[in-house]
Amino acid sequence: MSPVLDKNIETNPLIERLPVHLKQFIKPQNYEEYTAVNQAVWRYVMRKNVNYLSTVAHKSYLDGLKQTGISIDHIPNMYGMNRILKEIGWAAVAVDGFIPPAAFMEFQAYNVLVIASDIRQLEHLEYTPAPDIIHEGAGHAPIIANPEYAEYLRRFGEIGCKAISSAKDYELYEAVRKLSILKEAEDTPQQEIEEIEELVAYLQNNMGTPSEMALIRNLHWWTVEYGLIGTPEKPKIYGAGLLSSIGESAWCMTEKVKKIPYSIEAAHQEFDITKPQPQLYVTPDFAYLSEVLEEFANTMALRTGGPEGLQKLIDSKNLGTIELSTGLQVSGVFSEMILHKDKVSYVQTTGESALSHHEKELVGHGTNIHKDGYGTALGKLKGINLAIEDMSPKDLQAYKISEGNLVTLEFEGGISVSGKIITGTRNLKGKIILISFENCTVKHNDRLLFRPEFGIYHLAVGKKISSAFAGPADFKSFNLLQHQISSTTAKASTNAKRQELESLYLAVRNYREGKDTLFSPQAVFDILKKKHENDWLLSVELYELAKEDNREGFLNEIKEHLEDLKLKNTKIKHLIEDGIALV
């Protein structure tokens, strides 16, 4: 069953054409759940960012803010974002925090921006390890208005979702997701945070050889999230992590952060999601990002195939696909290969498997037929120079490889296939890609690999494995609707005191927008001082209103209160000062 999409975001056709296995991650934005405090947090960060970023961000960011219509005063509504993004060939969907890297990248391949719809709490105003709408909406969305960068993002998704993960990658993803949630949640005991931090550190230090997914994720981090553009001496910001963090966007411009010219080497530079980055990479222009991406793709099993590619799939213990030189694709969980002179002579999957050609499942070769795995011999026949895939119909007749014949095919790798040929499957060019046998026995030397009682044997035709990648060839072949989120993002707790504070924020918001309000600014300030003495952001908003209304006495009263707050809590001193500077 297809998950119900938020009725507000069905306006963009790109969302409609998403495959069902991606739609399972989409959740409604529930715009009405954003509180007046949430809106104030968005407004503060955006005003400060746009003010500061106008001097240090790449020109595309400010242009994109205008083009995507992202408001400084209001958290963006997905409905509005989609209407505008449609103009530049993109869409946006809401999700719950982190989603698996492969799914995240696949959304990008479909020109769909994934937006974590929660917003950071006031206490984590400068930086949050959890993805939130400030990071996604204010960081990622504006920059994709640049066509060259948008194409890099789409291509990255296309290549990235084919990257093969290791079993440990998923463990690390789960731990990082949990850590980001605990850090963003209120009142998480410090011991609990430290325990999960230790687990993340342990996993990061014991990953073994990094998988393709780990390497391409590093490239994503150092470009899409934390990229600089220009020269190391005069960089500008384009990475969404920097664009959405008022702390790091300033920190990254200091000499404390090392600036390195961007290259494929960045794939081997690990990162820590919970801390500011000690070094950043600078690309000369957006076109160079695509150059490095293609250079990296050339190292992936997707393009190299062979036994090394197949070995990556076996190690991943996850659903993957190999493509043979004939274009035939085998999808499943790969469990074994038999090698001969560094070439794959036999390959085996376990559990549900499927055969495809050009990403389309072959009729009669779905998981219902290959439910217990699939195995096939590969390579050339012994003593025959011509590979089966290169034989003409005449050649096939000459070697008795045709319907109705009883044959024994001896492969160079020591595999023998004996049985009666009942049919052959050809591709559109008439090349043979699959030969089906009845009453068939398959052996490797003395080891029995297939017996007649197993049913019909389908021999895949192919000299070699030309490609290996994560995921199935045809998504319709497998049931991929099994996504279970092990931890869900934290929501701010509500109590009478919190609700009162929310109502004060709402009163100020309504007053600024010329709507009816429950309390006057002065009344809000009196209650705030008395009952919410540690809140600083609302006082900054009141300061702004007093300044606009030319109320000198009220302005000084607020100023005095903010000075007291700065003395009481030095951690918020710069936030208060920055807020006043904006006014």
Side-chain angles (χ1 to χ4, degrees):
M1 191 181 84
S2 170
V4 179
L5 290 182
D6 180 352
K7 64 180 184 301
N8 286 340
I9 59 171
E10 278 189 65
T11 53
N12 195 315
L14 288 174
I15 298 169
E16 296 306 304
R17 58 165 238 214
L18 284 172
V20 179
H21 71 275
L22 287 181
K23 285 184 181 175
Q24 70 183 320
F25 293 101
I26 300 172
K27 67 166 211 161
Q29 185 186 16
N30 297 331
Y31 195 87
E32 65 289 346
E33 286 181 13
Y34 294 122
T35 66
V37 173
N38 295 154
Q39 295 285 4
V41 165
W42 169 271
R43 186 171 179 270
Y44 178 92
V45 173
M46 287 303 289
R47 286 174 79 226
K48 180 156 166 37
N49 264 10
V50 172
N51 181 55
Y52 172 67
L53 292 172
S54 58
T55 59
V56 295
H58 187 262
K59 183 179 172 293
S60 297
Y61 175 72
L62 295 160
D63 293 349
L65 266 182
K66 291 188 198 101
Q67 210 174 328
T68 49
I70 289 168
S71 155
I72 286 173
D73 289 313
H74 300 269
I75 294 170
N77 189 314
M78 302 295 278
Y79 177 73
M81 273 186 82
N82 269 297
R83 213 177 48 240
I84 294 157
L85 285 171
K86 194 155 82 172
E87 303 298 310
I88 54 175
W90 280 72
V93 295
V95 297
D96 185 32
F98 279 113
I99 63 170
F104 179 85
M105 291 192 199
E106 204 186 334
F107 270 109
Q108 269 179 213
Y110 282 95
N111 284 30
V112 175
L113 207 54
V114 173
I115 294 190
S117 56
D118 288 334
I119 186 163
R120 66 194 64 177
Q121 290 177 50
L122 181 51
E123 296 71 29
H124 304 141
L125 190 99
E126 289 189 279
Y127 172 81
T128 171
D132 76 334
I133 196 157
I134 293 179
H135 172 80
E136 318 278 8
H140 285 292
I143 203 92
I144 61 166
N146 178 305
E148 198 168 25
Y149 181 74
E151 175 51 22
Y152 168 68
L153 211 56
R154 185 200 66 76
R155 188 82 182 115
F156 201 109
E158 211 168 48
I159 292 167
C161 70
K162 301 285 189 194
I164 300 168
S165 299
S166 72
K168 284 183 177 175
D169 285 338
Y170 201 75
E171 224 181 310
L172 181 62
Y173 154 74
E174 286 286 4
V176 168
R177 179 182 161 88
K178 194 170 180 188
L179 175 62
S180 74
I181 290 166
L182 290 178
K183 280 198 157 189
E184 182 58 23
E186 290 176 75
D187 310 322
T188 305
Q190 190 54 33
Q191 189 195 344
E192 208 177 320
I193 289 177
E194 281 165 14
E195 278 170 18
I196 194 92
E197 273 180 336
E198 272 174 38
L199 175 63
V200 168
Y202 173 78
L203 289 170
Q204 278 177 330
N205 294 324
N206 292 277
M207 293 297 284
T209 308
S211 68
E212 289 180 350
M213 181 55 88
L215 295 175
I216 203 164
R217 211 173 54 226
N218 288 345
L219 286 185
H220 194 269
W221 181 264
W222 298 120
T223 61
V224 176
E225 296 295 353
Y226 279 79
L228 297 174
I229 187 166
T231 63
E233 297 72 38
K234 277 190 161 176
K236 294 277 186 189
I237 297 171
Y238 74 91
L242 295 171
L243 292 171
S244 61
S245 166
I246 56 180
E248 275 206 89
S249 57
W251 157 257
C252 78
M253 285 294 159
T254 66
E255 283 178 7
K256 289 175 186 153
V257 178
K258 193 177 169 192
K259 319 290 191 300
I260 307 164
Y262 181 60
S263 72
I264 198 166
E265 294 307 311
H268 295 276
Q269 178 60 57
E270 292 295 326
F271 58 87
D272 182 345
I273 195 164
T274 63
K275 296 185 178 83
Q277 309 308 315
Q279 80 283 303
L280 295 171
Y281 291 87
V282 189
T283 182
D285 49 43
F286 288 139
Y288 186 64
L289 296 178
S290 296
E291 227 176 279
V292 172
L293 176 63
E294 294 302 328
E295 191 186 340
F296 179 79
N298 287 336
T299 68
M300 288 170 62
L302 174 67
R303 292 189 183 167
T304 59
E308 300 80 9
L310 178 54
Q311 189 59 54
K312 286 179 184 177
L313 281 180
I314 292 169
D315 293 343
S316 80
K317 300 181 171 61
N318 273 317
L319 177 59
T321 298
I322 58 168
E323 187 172 312
L324 307 181
S325 41
T326 52
L328 182 79
Q329 295 162 317
V330 180
S331 300
V333 177
F334 290 86
S335 53
E336 189 192 358
M337 65 173 158
I338 296 171
L339 286 173
H340 173 72
K341 291 186 179 170
D342 295 332
K343 287 181 183 163
V344 179
S345 53
Y346 201 85
V347 60
Q348 181 68 49
T349 66
T350 51
E352 291 187 339
S353 305
L355 306 183
S356 303
H357 188 261
H358 285 319
E359 282 73 48
K360 198 169 182 335
E361 188 185 288
L362 292 179
V363 176
H365 290 283
T367 54
N368 54 334
I369 299 295
H370 304 291
K371 58 179 182 290
D372 301 316
Y374 172 78
T376 186
L378 297 176
K380 287 176 152 184
L381 297 173
K382 227 185 244 177
I384 300 174
N385 262 339
L386 205 57
I388 298 176
E389 66 191 78
D390 299 326
M391 290 180 183
S392 67
K394 263 189 177 166
D395 295 326
L396 290 168
Q397 284 285 355
Y399 290 113
K400 293 195 159 55
I401 305 173
S402 56
E403 282 89 342
N405 287 332
L406 262 171
V407 291
T408 294
L409 302 178
E410 296 276 358
F411 285 82
E412 283 180 340
I415 312 286
S416 67
V417 178
S418 306
K420 184 183 179 184
I421 298 177
I422 49 172
T423 184
T425 304
R426 294 173 187 275
N427 66 14
L428 288 172
K429 290 181 179 169
K431 290 255 185 192
I432 189 102
I433 57 172
L434 198 67
I435 302 167
S436 301
F437 295 77
E438 65 179 9
N439 204 13
C440 188
T441 303
V442 183
K443 285 181 174 176
H444 175 236
N445 301 329
D446 295 331
R447 180 185 165 197
L448 208 54
L449 298 169
F450 192 91
R451 296 203 288 269
E453 54 269 33
F454 291 174
I456 292 172
Y457 183 73
H458 302 281
L459 174 72
V461 177
K463 281 183 280 202
K464 60 174 189 173
I465 296 170
S466 53
S467 178
F469 54 87
D474 184 343
F475 285 105
K476 295 189 192 83
S477 298
F478 296 83
N479 172 23
L480 301 170
L481 296 181
Q482 296 150 341
H483 170 66
Q484 294 293 323
I485 293 180
S486 55
S487 42
T488 52
T489 53
K491 302 283 181 272
S493 60
T494 54
N495 52 42
K497 191 175 178 181
R498 178 79 183 189
Q499 281 170 334
E500 182 182 55
L501 183 63
E502 293 287 358
S503 69
L504 298 178
Y505 269 87
L506 186 61
V508 168
R509 187 172 186 80
N510 286 342
Y511 182 85
R512 190 189 315 111
E513 292 174 1
K515 295 176 185 168
D516 288 342
T517 172
L518 200 57
F519 308 102
S520 68
Q522 183 70 57
V524 167
F525 186 58
D526 293 341
I527 301 168
L528 196 66
K529 275 201 306 185
K530 206 166 163 186
K531 295 190 177 175
H532 307 277
E533 62 285 355
N534 294 324
D535 184 89
W536 62 272
L537 180 55
L538 193 54
S539 295
V540 168
E541 294 212 338
L542 287 164
Y543 182 86
E544 187 188 343
L545 294 182
K547 184 99 172 165
E548 279 170 14
D549 295 346
N550 288 320
R551 293 176 60 192
E552 204 59 43
F554 188 29
L555 197 67
N556 290 330
E557 211 183 323
I558 299 166
K559 214 174 191 173
E560 213 173 289
H561 176 60
L562 286 169
E563 287 302 326
D564 285 347
L565 284 177
K566 283 190 327 195
L567 290 172
K568 265 200 319 192
N569 186 352
T570 52
K571 278 186 184 169
I572 59 170
K573 183 174 183 261
H574 66 292
L575 294 172
I576 293 171
E577 285 168 356
D578 289 349
I580 289 173
L582 285 170
V583 176

